[in-house]
Amino acid sequence: MSEPLLRIDHVTLRFGGLVANADVSLDVPEGQILGLLGPNGAGKSTLFNLISGTYQPSEGRIFFRGEDITPLSAPERCRRGIARTFQVPRSFDSMNVLENVIVGGFARHAGAAAARRRALETLDFAGLAHRAEAVAGELTPPEKRRLEVARALATRPKLLLLDEVLTGLTPSEAKAGVELIRKVAASGVTVIMVEHVMEVVMPLVDRAVVLHLGRVLAEGHPTEVVRHEGVITAYLGERHRAA
Protein backbone atom coordinates (compact mmCIF):
# COMPACT_ATOMS: atom_id res chain seq x y z
CA MET A 1 0.00 0.00 0.00
CA SER A 2 1.22 3.52 -0.77
CA GLU A 3 1.98 6.01 1.98
CA PRO A 4 -1.13 8.04 2.97
CA LEU A 5 -1.05 11.75 2.26
CA LEU A 6 -1.81 12.47 5.94
CA ARG A 7 -1.18 10.23 8.92
CA ILE A 8 -2.31 11.12 12.42
CA ASP A 9 -0.54 8.81 14.84
CA HIS A 10 -1.97 8.44 18.37
CA VAL A 11 -2.47 12.19 18.81
CA THR A 12 -3.69 13.60 22.13
CA LEU A 13 -4.20 17.24 23.05
CA ARG A 14 -4.73 18.40 26.61
CA PHE A 15 -5.68 21.84 27.90
CA GLY A 16 -4.85 21.44 31.57
CA GLY A 17 -7.20 18.74 32.81
CA LEU A 18 -9.36 18.86 29.67
CA VAL A 19 -8.63 16.28 26.97
CA ALA A 20 -9.78 17.75 23.66
CA ASN A 21 -8.48 14.93 21.44
CA ALA A 22 -7.59 11.53 22.86
CA ASP A 23 -5.37 8.98 21.10
CA VAL A 24 -6.62 9.85 17.61
CA SER A 25 -5.13 7.80 14.78
CA LEU A 26 -6.20 8.36 11.20
CA ASP A 27 -4.85 7.80 7.69
CA VAL A 28 -6.07 9.94 4.80
CA PRO A 29 -5.17 8.62 1.32
CA GLU A 30 -4.42 11.07 -1.45
CA GLY A 31 -7.45 12.01 -3.56
CA GLN A 32 -10.08 11.25 -0.93
CA ILE A 33 -12.91 13.42 0.37
CA LEU A 34 -13.14 12.63 4.08
CA GLY A 35 -16.05 13.75 6.24
CA LEU A 36 -15.20 14.52 9.86
CA LEU A 37 -18.44 14.32 11.84
CA GLY A 38 -19.64 14.42 15.41
CA PRO A 39 -21.66 16.43 17.93
CA ASN A 40 -20.63 19.86 19.16
CA GLY A 41 -17.61 19.58 21.43
CA ALA A 42 -16.48 16.30 19.86
CA GLY A 43 -13.04 17.69 18.97
CA LYS A 44 -13.44 18.22 15.23
CA SER A 45 -12.17 21.79 14.99
CA THR A 46 -9.45 20.98 17.52
CA LEU A 47 -8.23 18.22 15.23
CA PHE A 48 -8.21 20.71 12.34
CA ASN A 49 -6.08 23.02 14.48
CA LEU A 50 -3.66 20.18 15.15
CA ILE A 51 -3.39 19.26 11.46
CA SER A 52 -2.94 22.88 10.33
CA GLY A 53 -0.39 23.70 13.04
CA THR A 54 -2.38 26.09 15.23
CA TYR A 55 -1.92 23.65 18.13
CA GLN A 56 0.89 21.25 18.94
CA PRO A 57 -0.18 17.82 20.28
CA SER A 58 0.54 16.83 23.87
CA GLU A 59 1.31 13.34 22.58
CA GLY A 60 1.59 11.64 19.21
CA ARG A 61 2.82 12.73 15.79
CA ILE A 62 1.44 13.99 12.50
CA PHE A 63 2.93 13.02 9.13
CA PHE A 64 2.26 14.72 5.80
CA ARG A 65 3.56 13.20 2.56
CA GLY A 66 5.81 10.98 4.66
CA GLU A 67 7.36 13.85 6.64
CA ASP A 68 6.94 14.30 10.38
CA ILE A 69 5.41 17.79 10.53
CA THR A 70 4.58 17.71 14.24
CA PRO A 71 7.07 20.47 15.21
CA LEU A 72 6.29 22.71 12.22
CA SER A 73 4.40 25.99 12.50
CA ALA A 74 1.18 26.75 10.62
CA PRO A 75 2.97 28.86 7.94
CA GLU A 76 5.51 26.06 7.38
CA ARG A 77 2.71 23.54 6.97
CA CYS A 78 0.93 25.85 4.55
CA ARG A 79 4.08 26.04 2.42
CA ARG A 80 4.18 22.24 2.38
CA GLY A 81 0.63 22.07 1.05
CA ILE A 82 -1.92 22.21 3.90
CA ALA A 83 -4.59 24.92 3.72
CA ARG A 84 -7.79 25.50 5.66
CA THR A 85 -10.94 27.54 6.04
CA PHE A 86 -12.55 28.53 9.34
CA GLN A 87 -15.94 27.86 10.88
CA VAL A 88 -16.53 31.62 11.07
CA PRO A 89 -15.24 33.10 7.80
CA ARG A 90 -12.22 35.35 8.23
CA SER A 91 -11.78 37.89 5.48
CA PHE A 92 -9.92 41.18 5.28
CA ASP A 93 -13.14 43.16 5.07
CA SER A 94 -11.62 46.50 4.02
CA MET A 95 -9.82 44.86 1.08
CA ASN A 96 -11.47 43.71 -2.11
CA VAL A 97 -11.99 40.08 -3.07
CA LEU A 98 -8.99 39.92 -5.38
CA GLU A 99 -6.69 41.39 -2.72
CA ASN A 100 -7.93 38.81 -0.20
CA VAL A 101 -7.00 35.97 -2.53
CA ILE A 102 -3.64 37.56 -3.43
CA VAL A 103 -2.78 37.15 0.27
CA GLY A 104 -3.09 33.39 -0.26
CA GLY A 105 -1.08 33.59 -3.46
CA PHE A 106 1.89 35.05 -1.57
CA ALA A 107 2.26 31.69 0.22
CA ARG A 108 3.65 30.30 -3.06
CA HIS A 109 4.80 33.37 -4.99
CA ALA A 110 7.24 35.99 -3.76
CA GLY A 111 6.36 38.47 -6.50
CA ALA A 112 3.16 40.51 -6.55
CA ALA A 113 2.51 39.88 -10.26
CA ALA A 114 2.70 36.09 -9.87
CA ALA A 115 0.52 36.16 -6.75
CA ARG A 116 -2.05 38.27 -8.62
CA ARG A 117 -2.09 35.85 -11.58
CA ARG A 118 -2.62 32.94 -9.20
CA ALA A 119 -5.41 34.83 -7.44
CA LEU A 120 -7.21 35.59 -10.70
CA GLU A 121 -6.98 31.92 -11.75
CA THR A 122 -8.35 30.83 -8.40
CA LEU A 123 -11.24 33.30 -8.43
CA ASP A 124 -12.24 32.03 -11.85
CA PHE A 125 -12.04 28.43 -10.60
CA ALA A 126 -14.15 29.25 -7.53
CA GLY A 127 -16.80 31.18 -9.47
CA LEU A 128 -15.96 34.54 -7.89
CA ALA A 129 -14.24 36.29 -10.80
CA HIS A 130 -17.23 38.59 -11.26
CA ARG A 131 -16.80 39.80 -7.66
CA ALA A 132 -13.05 40.44 -7.84
CA GLU A 133 -13.35 44.19 -7.24
CA ALA A 134 -16.09 43.95 -4.59
CA VAL A 135 -15.16 44.90 -1.02
CA ALA A 136 -14.98 41.69 1.01
CA GLY A 137 -17.03 43.16 3.85
CA GLU A 138 -19.99 43.58 1.48
CA LEU A 139 -20.16 39.93 0.39
CA THR A 140 -23.09 37.70 1.28
CA PRO A 141 -22.40 34.84 3.75
CA PRO A 142 -22.22 32.21 0.95
CA GLU A 143 -19.83 34.43 -1.00
CA LYS A 144 -17.65 34.89 2.08
CA ARG A 145 -17.38 31.11 2.49
CA ARG A 146 -16.47 30.77 -1.18
CA LEU A 147 -13.88 33.53 -0.76
CA GLU A 148 -12.25 31.57 2.06
CA VAL A 149 -12.06 28.51 -0.16
CA ALA A 150 -10.54 30.58 -2.96
CA ARG A 151 -7.93 32.13 -0.67
CA ALA A 152 -6.97 28.68 0.61
CA LEU A 153 -6.76 27.30 -2.94
CA ALA A 154 -4.46 30.17 -3.92
CA THR A 155 -1.79 28.58 -1.71
CA ARG A 156 -1.79 25.55 -4.07
CA PRO A 157 -2.62 22.98 -1.36
CA LYS A 158 -2.34 19.23 -1.55
CA LEU A 159 -4.71 18.97 1.43
CA LEU A 160 -7.66 21.32 2.02
CA LEU A 161 -9.42 21.44 5.40
CA LEU A 162 -12.98 22.78 5.10
CA ASP A 163 -14.62 23.77 8.39
CA GLU A 164 -18.42 23.90 7.95
CA VAL A 165 -18.40 25.61 4.55
CA LEU A 166 -21.94 24.37 3.82
CA THR A 167 -23.52 25.21 7.17
CA GLY A 168 -26.25 27.85 7.09
CA LEU A 169 -26.68 27.79 3.32
CA THR A 170 -29.94 27.45 1.43
CA PRO A 171 -30.44 24.20 -0.53
CA SER A 172 -29.42 25.87 -3.79
CA GLU A 173 -26.35 27.48 -2.16
CA ALA A 174 -25.39 24.16 -0.58
CA LYS A 175 -25.72 22.44 -3.97
CA ALA A 176 -23.35 25.00 -5.49
CA GLY A 177 -20.96 24.45 -2.58
CA VAL A 178 -20.99 20.70 -3.14
CA GLU A 179 -20.22 21.22 -6.82
CA LEU A 180 -17.23 23.38 -5.89
CA ILE A 181 -15.91 20.77 -3.44
CA ARG A 182 -16.22 18.05 -6.08
CA LYS A 183 -14.40 20.33 -8.52
CA VAL A 184 -11.61 20.87 -5.97
CA ALA A 185 -11.24 17.12 -5.45
CA ALA A 186 -11.25 16.50 -9.21
CA SER A 187 -8.34 18.96 -9.53
CA GLY A 188 -6.20 16.65 -7.38
CA VAL A 189 -6.66 18.23 -3.94
CA THR A 190 -7.46 15.91 -1.03
CA VAL A 191 -10.29 17.26 1.16
CA ILE A 192 -11.18 16.81 4.82
CA MET A 193 -14.43 18.52 5.73
CA VAL A 194 -16.20 19.15 9.01
CA GLU A 195 -19.93 19.41 8.42
CA HIS A 196 -23.27 18.96 10.18
CA VAL A 197 -25.60 18.85 7.19
CA MET A 198 -25.76 15.07 6.96
CA GLU A 199 -28.04 14.93 3.92
CA VAL A 200 -25.48 16.92 1.95
CA VAL A 201 -22.31 15.35 3.31
CA MET A 202 -23.04 11.66 3.10
CA PRO A 203 -23.45 11.46 -0.71
CA LEU A 204 -20.37 13.66 -1.13
CA VAL A 205 -17.67 12.04 1.00
CA ASP A 206 -15.73 8.85 0.20
CA ARG A 207 -15.24 8.03 3.87
CA ALA A 208 -16.60 9.31 7.17
CA VAL A 209 -14.96 9.53 10.60
CA VAL A 210 -17.09 10.30 13.67
CA LEU A 211 -15.51 11.84 16.75
CA HIS A 212 -17.11 11.73 20.19
CA LEU A 213 -15.56 13.19 23.34
CA GLY A 214 -12.32 13.67 21.46
CA ARG A 215 -11.98 10.05 20.33
CA VAL A 216 -12.67 8.25 17.07
CA LEU A 217 -16.03 6.56 17.57
CA ALA A 218 -16.45 5.08 14.10
CA GLU A 219 -14.99 5.29 10.61
CA GLY A 220 -15.76 3.75 7.24
CA HIS A 221 -18.04 4.17 4.27
CA PRO A 222 -20.81 6.70 5.02
CA THR A 223 -23.59 4.10 4.71
CA GLU A 224 -21.84 1.94 7.32
CA VAL A 225 -21.11 4.79 9.71
CA VAL A 226 -24.73 6.03 9.90
CA ARG A 227 -25.81 2.53 10.95
CA HIS A 228 -23.21 2.29 13.72
CA GLU A 229 -25.02 1.91 17.05
CA GLY A 230 -22.63 4.22 18.89
CA VAL A 231 -22.98 6.93 16.23
CA ILE A 232 -26.78 6.77 16.42
CA THR A 233 -26.71 7.03 20.22
CA ALA A 234 -24.07 9.77 20.51
CA TYR A 235 -24.77 11.86 17.42
CA LEU A 236 -27.68 11.06 15.11
CA GLY A 237 -30.38 10.37 17.70
CA GLU A 238 -33.43 8.16 17.96
CA ARG A 239 -35.31 9.78 15.08
CA HIS A 240 -32.52 8.61 12.77
CA ARG A 241 -32.87 5.09 14.17
CA ALA A 242 -36.59 5.14 13.45
CA ALA A 243 -36.00 6.43 9.93
Side-chain angles (χ1 to χ4, degrees):
M1 295 179 63
S2 61
E3 184 79 17
L5 180 70
L6 177 73
R7 169 163 286 167
I8 301 171
D9 186 24
H10 297 285
V11 162
T12 294
L13 178 64
R14 298 185 184 89
F15 296 105
L18 173 66
V19 180
N21 286 131
D23 195 30
V24 175
S25 291
L26 184 64
D27 284 356
V28 182
E30 191 165 3
Q32 191 171 82
I33 302 177
L34 175 70
L36 190 61
L37 312 173
N40 290 332
K44 305 181 298 298
S45 291
T46 302
L47 189 59
F48 264 24
N49 286 330
L50 284 165
I51 296 168
S52 63
T54 304
Y55 298 151
Q56 296 290 321
S58 307
E59 299 171 14
R61 296 185 296 172
I62 299 173
F63 298 87
F64 182 66
R65 305 180 77 184
E67 177 188 5
D68 185 351
I69 63 169
T70 311
L72 299 185
S73 67
E76 289 171 321
R77 296 188 196 196
C78 181
R79 286 190 287 270
R80 280 164 172 75
I82 299 176
R84 69 167 298 177
T85 67
F86 293 88
Q87 188 175 359
V88 178
R90 300 180 181 182
S91 57
F92 301 102
D93 284 349
S94 63
M95 297 162 57
N96 68 28
V97 168
L98 176 59
E99 290 165 342
N100 268 264
V101 182
I102 287 174
V103 171
F106 277 125
R108 292 289 184 182
H109 303 285
R116 181 184 175 86
R117 283 195 300 272
R118 174 59 184 167
L120 288 168
E121 292 170 1
T122 307
L123 284 174
D124 185 58
F125 180 90
L128 274 178
H130 66 294
R131 300 288 275 158
E133 300 302 323
V135 177
E138 298 175 356
L139 297 183
T140 65
E143 287 175 333
K144 278 205 170 188
R145 292 193 182 280
R146 193 166 284 250
L147 172 59
E148 276 224 315
V149 174
R151 189 174 56 209
L153 290 174
T155 69
R156 296 190 183 275
K158 296 291 184 184
L159 174 65
L160 179 60
L161 308 175
L162 300 176
D163 199 345
E164 297 193 23
V165 294
L166 304 177
T167 298
L169 303 184
T170 66
S172 62
E173 291 165 350
K175 181 181 178 182
V178 166
E179 290 171 355
L180 177 58
I181 294 168
R182 287 195 169 122
K183 189 176 175 182
V184 169
S187 74
V189 178
T190 302
V191 175
I192 305 178
M193 57 186 301
V194 168
E195 199 50 72
H196 287 293
V197 188
M198 300 290 287
E199 297 83 359
V200 174
V201 172
M202 286 313 191
L204 173 62
V205 302
D206 302 304
R207 187 162 132 255
V209 173
V210 179
L211 295 181
H212 181 54
L213 300 176
R215 297 181 179 273
V216 174
L217 177 61
E219 64 176 296
H221 190 274
T223 56
E224 299 168 353
V225 167
V226 296
R227 291 184 175 91
H228 188 284
E229 185 64 27
V231 172
I232 294 172
T233 301
Y235 181 39
L236 298 178
E238 293 302 317
R239 279 193 290 182
H240 173 82
R241 190 197 308 276

